[in-house]
Amino acid sequence: MEIGLESKNLIKEQERHIKELEKKVSDLEGALAAAEETNKAKSRFLSNMSHDIRTPMNAIMGMTSIGLSHIDEKLRVQDCLSKIQTASTHLMSLVNDVLDMSRIDSGRIVLGEEVFSLADLVHDVSVITRPQALQKGQHLQIDIREIKEESLLGDPLHLRQILVNIIGNAIKYTQEKGEILVQFSQYFSEDATPDDGTGKEKVWLDFQCKDNGMGMSEEFLKRIFIPFERVHNDATSKIEGTGLGMSIVKNLVERMDGQITVESKEGVGSCFKVKLPIAVADKENKVLDLPVGESVLVVEGNQDRARQISSYLQEGGLAPIHWESGSQALTWLTEAQFEGHMPCGMLLGEGISDVPVLNLASHVRQLAGQNFPILLVSEADWAQIEYRAVRSGVNAFVPCPLFKSRLFSTLAELTKGVRDEAVVEKKVDYSRYRVLLVEDIELNQEIAVELLSVTGVQVEVADNGVQAVEKFERSPEGYYDLIFMDIHMPLMDGYEATRRIRGMKRADSADIWIVAMTADAFVEDVRQAKEAGMNEHISKPVEPDRLQEILYGQFQ
């Protein structure tokens, strides 16, 4: 009996070992299959990247050659430069995707933490994505639902990357004249305030992007967040991309403790939903001087937009008077002027069908006089219509998607007497300022000097950190007004040069603005620049608008 029992136990032990071995073999087979699939995906990725990188490079090289051969034909050269700029932007986005994925895989991605405006963020996203939709004749609608807090604390750079990537994909994979609906809303809940030790109140940001594009199969939906994966069919064969965008989005959302889901059906469309808990920034005790109790004339044919504007105005203690057409508004305004109960201002929307909006503004300006505030609420690019709008009598502009804070602050300024000067850009005479440009690469020097010279500022150049320190040390106090500092240079890098300048015993060493101008563009690079004593950071390729922003902020 004892031998039989031992045999049974031995058999059971052997069976257990066999099951463990079978499980290990199964796990190894699964790992092998996953590794083989990853290798196949990487091979497809390299093949796609080879094609996708060569496409913009071909455009850059080809347009450069054409431009050089027609150098005396201004319009031809302008067209070439415009196409080179577009191709360069696309090439940069491809490089950024690969770098971002590399950093995520190695665990080196760092989330920033800064106060930002949700209104500014959504406006930036709209400015970036709307031109792409317009090129394809698509209707991109961005709706703002209930927003609890506009001033937030988090990483606006990576948040913008998430939103632009999702909306950009919707535009890319939706046919011409298709429809894309984007919605933003917020809500509070107990699980939006995790015990993370910060003590900061958090609000859920709810983002949804729905399109009626080509959609995805159920099979591909299972792989959509896997790196290097792309839909392969006749409809997508000419659409460029790395197959990394959705993987980056998924990783960023998870790093932010958020959730992302997607629903899609081939030939019907897709819907992406993102929920993110974001800290609420400390509230500023800023009181807006709104003309509480007074009426505001609202002229807007779009009923949803009109309801939104009216609701905001009522929250601010104002009384909206809404008319759908321009003729109705003019009739009412004429009677109001005659009877002596004029509104404190007028808000013009885009949905006026009976008269062009700027023509209506011109009529109102003639009727109501030069001191009557007229505010345009529009999705238009203000830079393109500003000249005609101001000439027509418009005092100020509030971009859509419409946020309550922007509407209130602009209306408060207008009704306090700020007129045309509020919308005309202030010109600054930079010719009396001197900057030191520290850059070791000659071509980069030439580009930066040209961009700075356009502003009229005086520019001096140092080839490395050693020269920069020597030039500053030998100059009289207050000689330089600002320093643009490269980081990676021979003899002495930008960080060390900055530390040495800050450590000098002279009155201007601590106060002079030092701005990093470098290809190191990640969050930790910005932090490292600040820790070294720099005031601001500009990433290369340098954008002229960003350069102007730095100069204006320092010299205005």
Side-chain angles (χ1 to χ4, degrees), residues 65-76:
S65 178
I66 293 172
L68 289 172
S69 62
H70 296 81
I71 196 67
D72 294 326
E73 301 175 32
K74 183 178 178 179
L75 293 178
R76 188 71 177 270

Side-chain angles (χ1 to χ4, degrees), residues 239-251:
I239 298 177
E240 298 173 342
T242 60
L244 294 175
M246 285 298 103
S247 179
I248 292 171
V249 165
K250 180 78 155 50
N251 276 281

